[in-house]
PDB file of all heavy atoms in Angstrom:
ATOM      1  N   PRO A 633       6.368  23.889  18.265  1.00 57.00           N
ATOM      2  CA  PRO A 633       6.100  23.800  16.819  1.00 57.00           C
ATOM      3  C   PRO A 633       5.327  25.003  16.318  1.00 57.00           C
ATOM      4  O   PRO A 633       4.484  25.542  17.023  1.00 57.00           O
ATOM      5  CB  PRO A 633       5.264  22.527  16.707  1.00 57.00           C
ATOM      6  CG  PRO A 633       4.607  22.384  18.047  1.00 57.00           C
ATOM      7  CD  PRO A 633       5.619  22.892  19.031  1.00 57.00           C
ATOM      8  N   THR A 634       5.614  25.467  15.100  1.00 83.00           N
ATOM      9  CA  THR A 634       4.866  26.570  14.499  1.00 83.00           C
ATOM     10  C   THR A 634       3.594  26.056  13.848  1.00 83.00           C
ATOM     11  O   THR A 634       2.683  26.819  13.579  1.00 83.00           O
ATOM     12  CB  THR A 634       5.723  27.291  13.449  1.00 83.00           C
ATOM     13  OG1 THR A 634       6.139  26.347  12.460  1.00 83.00           O
ATOM     14  CG2 THR A 634       6.944  27.917  14.092  1.00 83.00           C
ATOM     15  N   SER A 635       3.522  24.745  13.597  1.00 83.00           N
ATOM     16  CA  SER A 635       2.302  24.138  13.089  1.00 83.00           C
ATOM     17  C   SER A 635       2.331  22.649  13.411  1.00 83.00           C
ATOM     18  O   SER A 635       3.393  22.054  13.591  1.00 83.00           O
ATOM     19  CB  SER A 635       2.159  24.354  11.580  1.00 83.00           C
ATOM     20  OG  SER A 635       3.196  23.701  10.876  1.00 83.00           O
ATOM     21  N   TYR A 636       1.155  22.061  13.497  1.00 85.00           N
ATOM     22  CA  TYR A 636       1.075  20.638  13.800  1.00 85.00           C
ATOM     23  C   TYR A 636      -0.262  20.101  13.300  1.00 85.00           C
ATOM     24  O   TYR A 636      -1.189  20.853  13.018  1.00 85.00           O
ATOM     25  CB  TYR A 636       1.226  20.377  15.300  1.00 85.00           C
ATOM     26  CG  TYR A 636       0.189  21.054  16.163  1.00 85.00           C
ATOM     27  CD1 TYR A 636      -1.050  20.457  16.421  1.00 85.00           C
ATOM     28  CD2 TYR A 636       0.445  22.300  16.735  1.00 85.00           C
ATOM     29  CE1 TYR A 636      -1.996  21.077  17.216  1.00 85.00           C
ATOM     30  CE2 TYR A 636      -0.501  22.928  17.527  1.00 85.00           C
ATOM     31  CZ  TYR A 636      -1.714  22.315  17.776  1.00 85.00           C
ATOM     32  OH  TYR A 636      -2.655  22.931  18.553  1.00 85.00           O
ATOM     33  N   ASN A 637      -0.357  18.795  13.177  1.00 88.00           N
ATOM     34  CA  ASN A 637      -1.599  18.149  12.788  1.00 88.00           C
ATOM     35  C   ASN A 637      -2.453  17.878  14.021  1.00 88.00           C
ATOM     36  O   ASN A 637      -1.932  17.586  15.099  1.00 88.00           O
ATOM     37  CB  ASN A 637      -1.339  16.834  12.059  1.00 88.00           C
ATOM     38  CG  ASN A 637      -0.804  17.062  10.654  1.00 88.00           C
ATOM     39  OD1 ASN A 637      -0.982  18.129  10.076  1.00 88.00           O
ATOM     40  ND2 ASN A 637      -0.129  16.064  10.117  1.00 88.00           N
ATOM     41  N   ALA A 638      -3.765  17.956  13.847  1.00 85.00           N
ATOM     42  CA  ALA A 638      -4.688  17.651  14.938  1.00 85.00           C
ATOM     43  C   ALA A 638      -5.867  16.874  14.380  1.00 85.00           C
ATOM     44  O   ALA A 638      -6.335  17.140  13.275  1.00 85.00           O
ATOM     45  CB  ALA A 638      -5.166  18.938  15.615  1.00 85.00           C
ATOM     46  N   GLN A 639      -6.340  15.911  15.144  1.00 87.00           N
ATOM     47  CA  GLN A 639      -7.501  15.121  14.763  1.00 87.00           C
ATOM     48  C   GLN A 639      -8.728  15.679  15.464  1.00 87.00           C
ATOM     49  O   GLN A 639      -8.779  15.739  16.688  1.00 87.00           O
ATOM     50  CB  GLN A 639      -7.314  13.655  15.166  1.00 87.00           C
ATOM     51  CG  GLN A 639      -8.514  12.762  14.872  1.00 87.00           C
ATOM     52  CD  GLN A 639      -8.774  12.590  13.386  1.00 87.00           C
ATOM     53  OE1 GLN A 639      -7.885  12.212  12.645  1.00 87.00           O
ATOM     54  NE2 GLN A 639      -9.993  12.878  12.955  1.00 87.00           N
ATOM     55  N   LEU A 640      -9.706  16.125  14.681  1.00 85.00           N
ATOM     56  CA  LEU A 640     -10.952  16.611  15.255  1.00 85.00           C
ATOM     57  C   LEU A 640     -11.906  15.430  15.403  1.00 85.00           C
ATOM     58  O   LEU A 640     -12.043  14.609  14.494  1.00 85.00           O
ATOM     59  CB  LEU A 640     -11.583  17.681  14.363  1.00 85.00           C
ATOM     60  CG  LEU A 640     -10.754  18.950  14.114  1.00 85.00           C
ATOM     61  CD1 LEU A 640     -11.561  19.948  13.283  1.00 85.00           C
ATOM     62  CD2 LEU A 640     -10.311  19.593  15.415  1.00 85.00           C
ATOM     63  N   THR A 641     -12.557  15.357  16.558  1.00 85.00           N
ATOM     64  CA  THR A 641     -13.478  14.265  16.829  1.00 85.00           C
ATOM     65  C   THR A 641     -14.757  14.799  17.464  1.00 85.00           C
ATOM     66  O   THR A 641     -14.778  15.921  17.975  1.00 85.00           O
ATOM     67  CB  THR A 641     -12.861  13.238  17.795  1.00 85.00           C
ATOM     68  OG1 THR A 641     -12.688  13.859  19.082  1.00 85.00           O
ATOM     69  CG2 THR A 641     -11.529  12.732  17.289  1.00 85.00           C
ATOM     70  N   ILE A 642     -15.799  13.974  17.449  1.00 84.00           N
ATOM     71  CA  ILE A 642     -17.016  14.283  18.187  1.00 84.00           C
ATOM     72  C   ILE A 642     -16.946  13.538  19.508  1.00 84.00           C
ATOM     73  O   ILE A 642     -16.906  12.298  19.533  1.00 84.00           O
ATOM     74  CB  ILE A 642     -18.278  13.856  17.408  1.00 84.00           C
ATOM     75  CG1 ILE A 642     -18.418  14.694  16.135  1.00 84.00           C
ATOM     76  CG2 ILE A 642     -19.527  14.016  18.273  1.00 84.00           C
ATOM     77  CD1 ILE A 642     -19.594  14.304  15.277  1.00 84.00           C
ATOM     78  N   GLY A 643     -16.876  14.320  20.578  1.00 80.00           N
ATOM     79  CA  GLY A 643     -16.811  13.736  21.914  1.00 80.00           C
ATOM     80  C   GLY A 643     -15.568  12.917  22.169  1.00 80.00           C
ATOM     81  O   GLY A 643     -15.566  12.059  23.068  1.00 80.00           O
ATOM     82  N   GLY A 644     -14.517  13.149  21.377  1.00 78.00           N
ATOM     83  CA  GLY A 644     -13.297  12.395  21.572  1.00 78.00           C
ATOM     84  C   GLY A 644     -13.363  10.977  21.050  1.00 78.00           C
ATOM     85  O   GLY A 644     -12.430  10.192  21.251  1.00 78.00           O
ATOM     86  N   VAL A 645     -14.465  10.608  20.355  1.00 79.00           N
ATOM     87  CA  VAL A 645     -14.662   9.224  19.909  1.00 79.00           C
ATOM     88  C   VAL A 645     -14.765   9.117  18.390  1.00 79.00           C
ATOM     89  O   VAL A 645     -14.007   8.381  17.749  1.00 79.00           O
ATOM     90  CB  VAL A 645     -15.932   8.626  20.564  1.00 79.00           C
ATOM     91  CG1 VAL A 645     -16.157   7.207  20.054  1.00 79.00           C
ATOM     92  CG2 VAL A 645     -15.818   8.647  22.083  1.00 79.00           C
ATOM     93  N   VAL A 646     -15.722   9.832  17.805  1.00 83.00           N
ATOM     94  CA  VAL A 646     -15.990   9.709  16.372  1.00 83.00           C
ATOM     95  C   VAL A 646     -15.109  10.685  15.591  1.00 83.00           C
ATOM     96  O   VAL A 646     -15.185  11.899  15.816  1.00 83.00           O
ATOM     97  CB  VAL A 646     -17.474   9.987  16.064  1.00 83.00           C
ATOM     98  CG1 VAL A 646     -17.744   9.829  14.576  1.00 83.00           C
ATOM     99  CG2 VAL A 646     -18.362   9.059  16.867  1.00 83.00           C
ATOM    100  N   PRO A 647     -14.251  10.209  14.707  1.00 84.00           N
ATOM    101  CA  PRO A 647     -13.368  11.110  13.950  1.00 84.00           C
ATOM    102  C   PRO A 647     -14.141  11.985  12.973  1.00 84.00           C
ATOM    103  O   PRO A 647     -15.096  11.528  12.333  1.00 84.00           O
ATOM    104  CB  PRO A 647     -12.427  10.152  13.220  1.00 84.00           C
ATOM    105  CG  PRO A 647     -13.195   8.880  13.100  1.00 84.00           C
ATOM    106  CD  PRO A 647     -14.033   8.793  14.339  1.00 84.00           C
ATOM    107  N   VAL A 648     -13.729  13.231  12.876  1.00 80.00           N
ATOM    108  CA  VAL A 648     -14.343  14.182  11.947  1.00 80.00           C
ATOM    109  C   VAL A 648     -13.418  14.444  10.766  1.00 80.00           C
ATOM    110  O   VAL A 648     -13.751  14.193   9.617  1.00 80.00           O
ATOM    111  CB  VAL A 648     -14.681  15.506  12.665  1.00 80.00           C
ATOM    112  CG1 VAL A 648     -15.185  16.549  11.664  1.00 80.00           C
ATOM    113  CG2 VAL A 648     -15.725  15.272  13.753  1.00 80.00           C
ATOM    114  N   LYS A 649     -12.211  14.935  11.039  1.00 85.00           N
ATOM    115  CA  LYS A 649     -11.221  15.169  10.000  1.00 85.00           C
ATOM    116  C   LYS A 649      -9.892  15.541  10.648  1.00 85.00           C
ATOM    117  O   LYS A 649      -9.852  15.977  11.811  1.00 85.00           O
ATOM    118  CB  LYS A 649     -11.664  16.280   9.028  1.00 85.00           C
ATOM    119  CG  LYS A 649     -11.717  17.672   9.657  1.00 85.00           C
ATOM    120  CD  LYS A 649     -12.330  18.705   8.735  1.00 85.00           C
ATOM    121  CE  LYS A 649     -11.630  18.890   7.429  1.00 85.00           C
ATOM    122  NZ  LYS A 649     -12.196  20.004   6.624  1.00 85.00           N
ATOM    123  N   THR A 650      -8.825  15.385   9.899  1.00 87.00           N
ATOM    124  CA  THR A 650      -7.506  15.829  10.346  1.00 87.00           C
ATOM    125  C   THR A 650      -7.243  17.216   9.771  1.00 87.00           C
ATOM    126  O   THR A 650      -7.441  17.444   8.579  1.00 87.00           O
ATOM    127  CB  THR A 650      -6.407  14.860   9.886  1.00 87.00           C
ATOM    128  OG1 THR A 650      -6.658  13.567  10.451  1.00 87.00           O
ATOM    129  CG2 THR A 650      -5.038  15.338  10.341  1.00 87.00           C
ATOM    130  N   VAL A 651      -6.814  18.128  10.638  1.00 87.00           N
ATOM    131  CA  VAL A 651      -6.574  19.509  10.216  1.00 87.00           C
ATOM    132  C   VAL A 651      -5.162  19.924  10.605  1.00 87.00           C
ATOM    133  O   VAL A 651      -4.494  19.249  11.388  1.00 87.00           O
ATOM    134  CB  VAL A 651      -7.597  20.475  10.865  1.00 87.00           C
ATOM    135  CG1 VAL A 651      -9.006  20.142  10.406  1.00 87.00           C
ATOM    136  CG2 VAL A 651      -7.496  20.454  12.382  1.00 87.00           C
TER     137      VAL A 651
END
Side-chain angles (χ1 to χ4, degrees):
T634 57
S635 64
Y636 59 86
N637 287 339
Q639 177 67 53
L640 300 184
T641 67
I642 294 177
V645 178
V646 181
V648 174
K649 68 188 301 186
T650 299
V651 297

